Amino acid sequence: MNISIKAIGILLLLLMFLLTSCQQKKEDMQLPDPAQVREALIISNMQLVGMEEQAIDDFVERYGWEMERSGSGLRYRISNPGSGETASYGQRAVLDYDTYLLTGERLYSSEEDGPMEFTVGRGGVERGLEEGILLLSQGAEATFIIPHHLAHGLPGDGKKIPGRAAIIYKIEVL
């Protein structure tokens, strides 16, 4: 392999040119103002929440459902109030359920996966589901529409529920 000194010199000059042309002086670099970045993120999040609210409103209107809305954004409709004890923190909840996306796609079901069991107030389920369960008594049947911030948030559940997805629960408290 015979590489001439002239070729090596040209390669070194080219390399030096590339290295120096890609560097910026520190005083030329400007970082964005943190307050402006924060404001842009807040506006962006407000727009995303507004779009999700509109999608939920459209869904509810399309099905003609009359739903209540909690302060957190949970939508709920109790079709059968039940007659048993009202759920409270620390109690074990057992539910028959079906979970859907706003598209109508069924994701999870007690028919396939068995009843859902959890202790109210201890986590392990969507915050919106825990909030909704506290509105119900044993034997109750209800439908919840849970916005993404009360469900699986930005990442989804890593299985069937995509990121930023509002989900629908149709449940019966056993």
Side-chain angles (χ1 to χ4, degrees):
M1 188 165 173
N2 189 6
I3 299 177
S4 72
I5 294 178
K6 188 176 182 181
I8 292 175
I10 292 173
L11 285 173
L12 284 173
L13 277 172
L14 184 60
L15 183 61
M16 285 176 45
F17 173 74
L18 288 173
L19 288 174
T20 57
S21 67
C22 291
Q23 294 179 357
Q24 275 188 327
K25 294 179 183 176
K26 235 181 186 178
E27 58 270 6
D28 291 344
M29 292 176 32
Q30 290 186 357
L31 296 174
D33 177 26
Q36 289 177 332
V37 171
R38 185 172 192 274
E39 183 66 25
L41 288 173
I42 288 170
I43 290 169
S44 175
N45 280 330
M46 288 172 59
Q47 290 173 339
L48 291 172
V49 167
M51 290 168 48
E52 182 180 52
E53 285 292 319
Q54 187 61 55
I56 292 171
D57 288 344
D58 292 347
F59 180 88
V60 170
E61 185 178 321
R62 183 169 53 246
Y63 285 93
W65 291 349
E66 290 189 27
M67 300 193 88
E68 300 291 324
R69 182 180 173 150
S70 74
S72 69
L74 172 71
R75 311 274 181 106
Y76 60 96
R77 181 180 86 160
I78 301 171
S79 52
N80 175 3
S83 58
E85 186 179 342
T86 302
S88 62
Y89 287 101
Q91 284 187 321
R92 193 87 178 137
V94 181
L95 312 175
D96 269 341
Y97 68 96
D98 289 299
T99 308
Y100 301 87
L101 292 175
L102 292 178
T103 61
E105 179 184 349
R106 185 171 158 188
L107 303 170
Y108 298 104
S109 171
S110 57
E111 190 175 287
E112 298 165 2
D113 304 321
M116 180 186 298
E117 296 185 39
F118 62 96
T119 302
V120 179
R122 298 246 174 102
V125 297
E126 299 88 344
R127 284 187 5 222
L129 181 59
E130 279 197 309
E131 180 183 341
I133 291 300
L134 292 170
L135 302 170
L136 304 176
S137 301
Q138 187 175 7
E141 295 177 19
T143 302
F144 300 140
I145 300 179
I146 305 173
H148 82 275
H149 69 276
L150 296 175
H152 294 276
L154 293 175
D157 73 348
K159 297 173 189 163
K160 296 180 181 180
I161 300 174
R164 286 188 353 161
I167 56 175
I168 301 161
Y169 263 100
K170 292 187 177 186
I171 64 164
E172 179 182 359
V173 181
L174 302 176

